[in-house]
Amino acid sequence: MGKWKKKFRALPKPIRVELQRIVVDDIKVLAGKRISTDDIVAGTYAHLGLKHETLQVGQSWEVVPPINVGTTSKRNSEGWTVTRKDLPKHRKYFYRDIPIYGDAARNGWTTAAIPREVYETDSYPPYLFQIEVSVQEVLNDGRFGIVFSIDEVFSKHSASFEEDLLFAVNLLQENTGVSAVAASENPDFVFTSRLRWDVFPPGQIADLAMRIQQNGGRNPPDLATITERLELFEQFQPIEYLKGLGGNDHYIGAKYADDLVVFENMRHGNALYVLYDDWATLSQKPRSEILKLPTSKFDRLIHTEGWANRFALLMQHELQDRGTRIRIGRHQRRRRR
């Protein structure tokens, strides 16, 4: 790791000035840096996958920063809580098993409710932002021009715009030593915070996967990855498949009812989202804003071990609540109304 400033308490003045200059709504956290081969040999950016073998013009990839890089990287992966000492304490009971009359061998155990005065806490889920690394060019002095960016687009209309932007700026700064912002109209990049969908009717998975990949825009996900996710969606027999358009062309999804839609970014693939109620509006929100919605509006299944089984149980319950029974077998899928 390099020795550079790790964190800002507020958005730096150059970024605020740039935000005032940018007239469009969609903002990307993005910055370039000149990096020497000595930095690579020293392992300064190894935590981002930047090594001798990847230091080739045209190479690009994404990585969730390791939690040992710093506080922001740890919060990005694990979430965090804030103790609200600005609010009065309240009584909360904590439960503990204790031996009866001090002798568990003779009298057994009982559960005691222990009251304590505690502060309120605010819990924040992990953003799971990834840093995109792009090797753009070789400079005349032998250094490489690298572009680092956060894989999220931030809308000025979002209620938590400055809070989310500051977090992303600090994540990039902590890991790379540079941070800046760019507008969606920047000709070198294509991105938007609004997710628009193309609709595909159900059909043969192989044919559908091919059509989705062919409509995948720039750098589409590989066919095997698309097929794997469609096979998972197909078990619950969606009425439509969805494909993101424009700057969100790596999103695919499936619609099961007017109030039940699932989708995922196949490029980053760290979580699957299940939306309820007014999904068309909710799906257009930036990911950072979706995370702040009431939990009744969505579920997010992070791709940890067993996530597909958790998704199956969730879908069975949600479809059953809507009058649809699903029986899933290894070689048989049947839907009953």
Side-chain angles (χ1 to χ4, degrees):
M1 283 291 299
K3 295 181 179 179
W4 49 64
K5 184 178 178 64
K6 303 293 185 182
K7 188 175 183 179
F8 303 108
R9 291 183 177 272
L11 288 174
K13 184 176 179 179
I15 289 181
R16 288 194 174 277
V17 171
E18 184 65 13
L19 288 174
Q20 292 176 352
R21 191 189 66 80
I22 296 173
V23 296
V24 297
D25 293 331
D26 292 337
I27 304 296
K28 187 88 167 177
V29 175
L30 174 152
K33 192 172 188 179
R34 298 177 178 89
I35 293 176
S36 69
T37 53
D38 290 341
D39 293 327
I40 301 303
V41 172
T44 304
Y45 304 93
H47 65 289
L48 297 177
L50 196 51
K51 306 174 183 178
H52 179 73
E53 55 269 26
T54 59
L55 195 62
Q56 301 178 30
V57 174
Q59 291 288 330
S60 62
W61 61 92
E62 305 85 30
V63 59
V64 176
I67 62 174
N68 61 357
V69 173
T71 300
T72 306
S73 297
K74 183 177 176 64
R75 289 180 171 183
N76 182 60
S77 289
E78 298 182 351
W80 72 100
T81 60
V82 174
T83 302
R84 297 294 305 275
K85 293 187 177 181
D86 58 318
L87 298 176
K89 288 185 175 182
H90 67 284
R91 177 170 295 182
K92 186 173 182 179
Y93 287 90
F94 295 84
Y95 299 90
R96 181 179 176 185
D97 290 335
I98 60 174
I100 299 175
Y101 299 121
D103 190 342
R106 176 177 296 179
N107 303 312
W109 295 81
T110 188
T111 301
I114 303 172
R116 293 178 184 170
E117 296 295 317
V118 298
Y119 288 108
E120 296 279 359
T121 59
D122 291 338
S123 297
Y124 294 83
Y127 283 105
L128 290 177
F129 289 157
Q130 297 193 89
I131 293 180
E132 300 172 336
V133 184
S134 177
V135 184
Q136 296 280 0
E137 60 180 335
V138 180
L139 306 173
N140 291 333
D141 60 4
R143 291 183 297 173
F144 287 78
I146 311 294
V147 172
F148 300 105
S149 61
I150 300 296
D151 72 322
E152 177 78 350
V153 178
F154 302 92
S155 171
K156 290 181 180 178
H157 293 304
S158 171
S160 58
F161 171 68
E162 287 211 9
E163 177 186 355
D164 296 336
L165 191 70
L166 177 60
F167 186 93
V169 165
N170 280 331
L171 185 64
L172 196 65
Q173 179 71 31
E174 182 176 83
N175 282 272
T176 68
V178 291
S179 54
V181 294
S184 60
E185 62 186 4
N186 188 324
D188 294 329
F189 305 95
V190 180
F191 44 79
T192 173
S193 65
R194 298 180 66 81
L195 181 55
R196 297 179 297 114
W197 296 104
D198 195 7
V199 177
F200 292 83
Q204 293 295 318
I205 290 295
D207 176 61
L208 185 62
M210 183 70 70
R211 283 188 290 148
I212 287 178
Q213 188 191 48
Q214 290 172 350
N215 285 272
R218 53 193 174 85
N219 251 343
D222 68 271
L223 192 61
T225 302
I226 297 174
T227 302
E228 178 184 340
R229 193 60 75 244
L230 289 178
E231 288 176 345
L232 177 65
F233 293 163
E234 177 68 15
Q235 292 185 64
F236 306 95
Q237 297 187 9
I239 56 179
E240 291 176 343
Y241 284 101
L242 307 169
K243 177 72 179 65
L245 298 174
N248 293 298
D249 49 34
H250 290 280
Y251 281 88
I252 69 169
K255 179 180 178 181
Y256 298 91
D258 289 339
D259 58 352
L260 182 59
V261 167
V262 303
F263 69 91
E264 180 174 359
N265 187 322
M266 298 304 294
R267 183 177 180 185
H268 304 130
N270 50 34
L272 183 144
Y273 293 80
V274 183
L275 296 184
Y276 316 103
D277 303 324
D278 197 18
W279 69 269
T281 299
L282 293 181
S283 69
Q284 293 183 13
K285 293 181 178 293
R287 180 178 44 177
S288 56
E289 190 170 340
I290 289 179
L291 292 177
K292 294 181 175 64
L293 293 172
T295 53
S296 60
K297 297 288 187 181
F298 80 102
D299 277 292
R300 181 173 71 150
L301 289 89
I302 299 174
H303 290 350
T304 54
E305 184 177 355
W307 75 269
N309 290 334
R310 293 193 294 274
F311 173 64
L313 289 173
L314 174 64
M315 290 300 295
Q316 285 177 317
H317 287 303
E318 291 297 333
L319 288 169
Q320 186 172 340
D321 288 345
R322 291 162 177 78
T324 300
R325 294 182 62 189
I326 290 286
R327 177 183 295 175
I328 301 176
R330 187 172 181 180
H331 304 293
Q332 177 183 3
R333 306 178 183 94
R334 183 163 56 196
R335 181 170 182 161
R336 296 178 177 177
R337 290 194 179 278

